[in-house]
Amino acid sequence: TTTTTTTTNSTKLHTIIDLEPGDMLYLPPRIPHCGIATSDGCITLSVGMRSPSAKDLISKLAELMETSLEGSSVERYQDTDLLDHIHTTLQ
């Protein structure tokens, strides 16, 4: 059983909810709250879940890929005498 009392303090609206043993209260994201244990036999817990943005996921993936690549997979082809014929033609 929950008891709800609503009061106004200047422009803010406050709701007081008293929970019974075994009760849980779900508050959706971005709802400010303050839980207070009113007896020795109870606790208050706030568990939050945060989902990363697409930008955060892509950045982390790119970072992981950069650090995991080694050896021949990141070596670039080099043709050391590629431009030699240009120098001889121009001279």
Side-chain angles (χ1 to χ4, degrees):
T1 308
T2 61
T3 305
T4 305
T5 308
T6 304
T7 58
T8 41
N9 180 4
S10 63
T11 59
K12 295 182 180 180
L13 185 66
H14 297 277
T15 302
I16 299 169
I17 301 173
D18 295 320
L19 301 174
E20 298 296 322
D23 286 349
M24 291 175 62
L25 175 65
Y26 169 78
L27 296 173
R30 296 187 181 97
I31 299 296
H33 60 281
C34 176
I36 300 171
T38 57
S39 68
D40 291 338
C42 69
I43 60 172
T44 61
L45 296 173
S46 291
V47 178
M49 306 291 179
R50 187 179 82 86
S51 60
S53 67
K55 178 183 174 187
D56 291 340
L57 289 172
I58 292 169
S59 295
K60 186 64 176 176
L61 178 61
E63 187 179 306
L64 288 170
M65 289 176 65
E66 178 186 22
T67 58
S68 67
L69 295 176
E70 295 177 357
S72 62
S73 61
V74 292
E75 290 177 6
R76 300 183 87 168
Y77 174 76
Q78 294 181 357
D79 188 355
T80 54
D81 57 342
L82 175 67
L83 301 177
D84 287 349
H85 73 284
I86 293 175
H87 294 292
T88 55
T89 309
L90 295 175
Q91 293 176 359

